[in-house]
Amino acid sequence: MEQMDVRTDCNHTAIFSGAQNALTVALVSLFRLGDRIAADEFTYANFIEAAKLFHLQIIPIPGDAQGMDPEALDKQCSREKISGIFLMPSCSNPTALSMSENRKKALAQIIQKHRLILLEDDLMGTLGSGKGPVRSLFSMLPDQTFFICGSTKNLCTGIRIAFAAFPEAFRKRILHGLYSMNIKSSSLDAEIITELILSGKASAILEKKKSLALKANQLFNQIFPEMNDSSAHPYAFFRSLPIASRESGARIEQTLAEKGILVQHSDHFAVRKNPRHPFLRVSLSSAGSFAKLREGLSILADCREIF
């Protein structure tokens, strides 16, 4: 976590069974029934579902190529009582957008102004940005942020361990929630991750994944040159592809599945119904080989006329 400028100690750090487990504990521990949480218009699908289970309201905030719009957040917080905010600043899922440092600072000012509880899910911070050091929002708002650093996607999908950092104000509630939910993190998985980090092998794995992800993104940009956008994370494991069709997401997914292409429509990630600017979330890491990825992306490019 120090790579993202997250400075803390063992009393304000906890181990969870993956990032989803950490997020669930944070939602049930830090918020109350009916609380409102601001989020991007398109955001992590499991966050949406978890918030619904705990009867929390998600307030969609519009944004641009840099991420959430600070002015829009400020206006919404002035109109109604909002208790928290969920952000994935290093690489937003599903859009793959990466926030600039200036946008992070602008949002941090609004979050501090309205005293929001920030849930920061750092999906790609350990892979870096390709543009220098990555600074977390936690480093700007250490007294308001619950920071999640997962290892599943970046190191190994079979090892479900995530680390979370939190301020003293959250400590009692987070630990109570962690113990009360009785979801035991695997001691073996935690030990494996620890040994990978201390031995330096974790860094070697990350470098290899960065190389493969960069190649996959370059291939995506080659086949979809109009999407060669600097706002997308250079090492993202997925990309978003805008579509013009207003046909149902399920129907589009079915049509592409019949051609051997599995994608996710933006409906899965939309906070509100019938959102603007629909798109497809395209995985770059599940094809099995670059040859198959190229073939799949080429078929998808040929289908764009349909959508």
Side-chain angles (χ1 to χ4, degrees):
M1 292 191 290
E2 289 184 356
Q3 295 180 37
M4 286 75 74
D5 200 23
V6 176
R7 310 291 175 177
T8 186
D9 55 44
C10 61
N11 292 321
H12 299 90
T13 308
I15 298 175
F16 294 84
S17 298
Q20 179 64 31
N21 175 219
L23 181 58
T24 300
V25 170
L27 288 174
V28 76
S29 303
L30 301 177
F31 299 96
R32 297 180 179 179
L33 184 71
D35 276 356
R36 299 181 181 90
I37 303 177
D40 291 309
E41 292 181 300
F42 295 101
T43 190
Y44 183 39
N46 287 355
F47 163 71
I48 295 175
E49 294 306 313
K52 288 179 180 178
L53 284 174
F54 298 129
H55 302 284
L56 302 170
Q57 300 181 51
I58 305 178
I59 308 300
I61 307 297
D64 54 26
Q66 293 294 312
M68 185 180 290
D69 182 350
E71 291 186 7
L73 175 63
D74 190 23
K75 290 179 180 178
Q76 194 66 44
C77 289
S78 298
R79 291 193 196 106
E80 57 185 323
K81 172 62 176 176
I82 295 180
S83 302
I85 181 170
F86 173 73
L87 291 171
M88 306 180 79
S90 65
C91 181
S92 179
N93 187 359
T95 61
L97 295 181
S98 182
M99 277 190 196
S100 67
E101 291 302 301
N102 287 336
R103 179 56 58 90
K104 288 180 184 179
K105 291 177 182 177
L107 282 170
Q109 291 178 353
I110 305 303
I111 293 169
Q112 184 177 48
K113 172 184 175 181
H114 295 282
R115 303 184 64 81
L116 304 179
I117 294 174
L118 169 60
L119 305 179
E120 181 178 8
D121 187 352
D122 189 274
L123 179 63
M124 303 292 289
T126 53
L127 293 180
S129 65
K131 302 176 183 178
V134 176
R135 188 183 180 197
S136 64
L137 282 164
F138 179 95
S139 65
M140 304 177 193
L141 299 166
D143 297 327
Q144 293 176 236
T145 305
F146 180 83
F147 179 86
I148 304 171
C149 179
S151 63
T152 303
K153 290 182 176 62
N154 294 342
L155 287 178
C156 179
T157 55
I159 301 178
R160 301 200 62 81
I161 289 294
F163 302 95
F166 43 83
E168 179 63 28
F170 298 169
R171 184 173 182 272
K172 185 176 181 180
R173 284 181 286 172
I174 289 295
L175 294 182
H176 177 70
L178 178 59
Y179 297 142
S180 298
M181 293 186 71
N182 196 28
I183 302 177
K184 177 71 170 66
S185 300
S186 167
S187 299
L188 177 60
D189 283 359
E191 182 66 20
I192 291 172
I193 290 294
T194 300
E195 289 301 317
L196 286 174
I197 294 173
L198 295 178
S199 67
K201 292 181 180 179
S203 296
I205 293 173
L206 291 175
E207 288 301 316
K208 180 63 175 179
K209 286 205 169 188
K210 284 170 64 174
S211 175
L212 294 173
L214 182 61
K215 184 177 179 180
N217 277 273
Q218 290 172 341
L219 180 57
F220 182 89
N221 292 337
Q222 178 184 337
I223 295 177
F224 300 102
E226 72 278 15
M227 299 305 298
N228 191 0
D229 188 346
S230 60
S231 63
H233 197 288
Y235 309 127
F237 299 154
F238 52 86
R239 294 287 291 275
S240 61
L241 188 63
I243 55 177
S245 174
R246 286 295 176 177
E247 195 170 0
S248 73
R251 178 57 183 163
I252 292 175
E253 290 177 355
Q254 180 182 347
T255 299
L256 290 172
E258 291 170 355
K259 297 179 180 295
I261 306 299
L262 300 180
V263 297
Q264 287 184 298
H265 191 275
S266 55
D267 285 351
H268 295 288
F269 309 93
V271 173
R272 61 160 62 97
K273 292 183 178 180
N274 302 316
R276 303 168 298 164
H277 313 305
F279 60 88
L280 301 178
R281 181 188 184 276
V282 183
S283 172
L284 302 181
S285 59
S286 58
S289 70
F290 283 109
K292 288 184 178 180
L293 178 61
R294 177 182 291 276
E295 179 183 2
L297 292 176
S298 297
I299 293 173
L300 185 57
D302 292 338
C303 293
R304 289 200 76 186
E305 294 182 0
I306 304 175
F307 308 117

